[in-house]
Amino acid sequence: MLYAILKLLHILAIVVWIGGMVFAQFFLRPAAMSLEPAQRIRLMHGALQRFFAAVLVAIGVVLTTGVWMIGRAAKDSVQAGLGFNMPLDWTIMATLGIVMMGIFGHIRFALFKRLSAAVAASDWPKGGAALASIRTWVSINLAIGLVIIVITLLMA
């Protein structure tokens, strides 16, 4: 039962992260393009600030639950007298997930910092450039996230 609850939390955290990227890229950003630069950049800054806070929590949940589930599977295998070889789909998922977390770190702690500074200074060209960089890296992270989903579902 505990394993099922942790798996549920793991998947829900991923839904928040991946779903948020889909929403921002394909719905919020295109709708915001009709706004003047100052309004658009302030809107995106506020939305991303809230989303990035949620992603930090989601990453904590994904890491905690993922490590626990892998550890539990390894412990159960060893206690049953078997060796533990992590399944290939788990290895891919964990590796690409860590890559995604690194990319998110760059987005949140470098690129978003530039956006925040531009908003504080009302420097809309720099804000637009920061948003463009964020959009590029979010697209990369979204693609990686979708690859993880496809691989784990097709290999399961």
Side-chain angles (χ1 to χ4, degrees):
M1 179 68 150
L2 179 60
Y3 187 90
I5 291 169
L6 291 174
K7 189 173 182 179
L8 173 65
L9 292 173
H10 190 82
I11 292 169
L12 290 175
I14 292 166
V15 167
V16 167
W17 191 1
I18 302 291
M21 289 190 291
V22 168
F23 175 77
Q25 291 290 75
F26 299 111
F27 302 99
L28 178 60
R29 189 184 75 72
M33 293 305 289
S34 65
L35 300 173
E36 294 297 320
Q39 292 175 315
R40 176 173 37 88
I41 292 168
R42 280 191 201 108
L43 171 67
M44 293 302 294
H45 179 264
L48 290 174
Q49 186 172 28
R50 289 167 180 81
F51 174 59
F52 291 163
V55 172
L56 283 172
V57 172
I59 286 173
V61 170
V62 168
L63 274 173
T64 302
T65 57
V67 167
W68 190 93
M69 288 186 292
I70 291 168
R72 181 62 189 228
K75 180 181 174 187
D76 288 349
S77 290
V78 169
Q79 286 179 341
L82 307 169
F84 178 71
N85 291 319
M86 194 156 81
L88 180 60
D89 59 329
W90 290 15
T91 303
I92 293 168
M93 178 178 21
T95 302
L96 291 178
I98 290 168
V99 169
M100 285 182 69
M101 292 173 199
I103 290 171
F104 173 76
H106 173 66
I107 292 167
R108 173 59 187 89
F109 299 109
L111 301 178
F112 187 72
K113 186 177 179 180
R114 290 182 205 158
L115 176 61
S116 295
V119 168
S122 297
D123 187 339
W124 310 125
K126 282 188 180 178
L131 276 173
S133 294
I134 289 169
R135 182 177 68 248
T136 298
W137 284 103
V138 167
S139 295
I140 292 167
N141 243 8
L142 179 56
I144 294 169
L146 294 176
V147 165
I148 292 170
I149 291 169
V150 168
I151 288 172
T152 55
L153 289 177
L154 292 180
M155 292 182 77

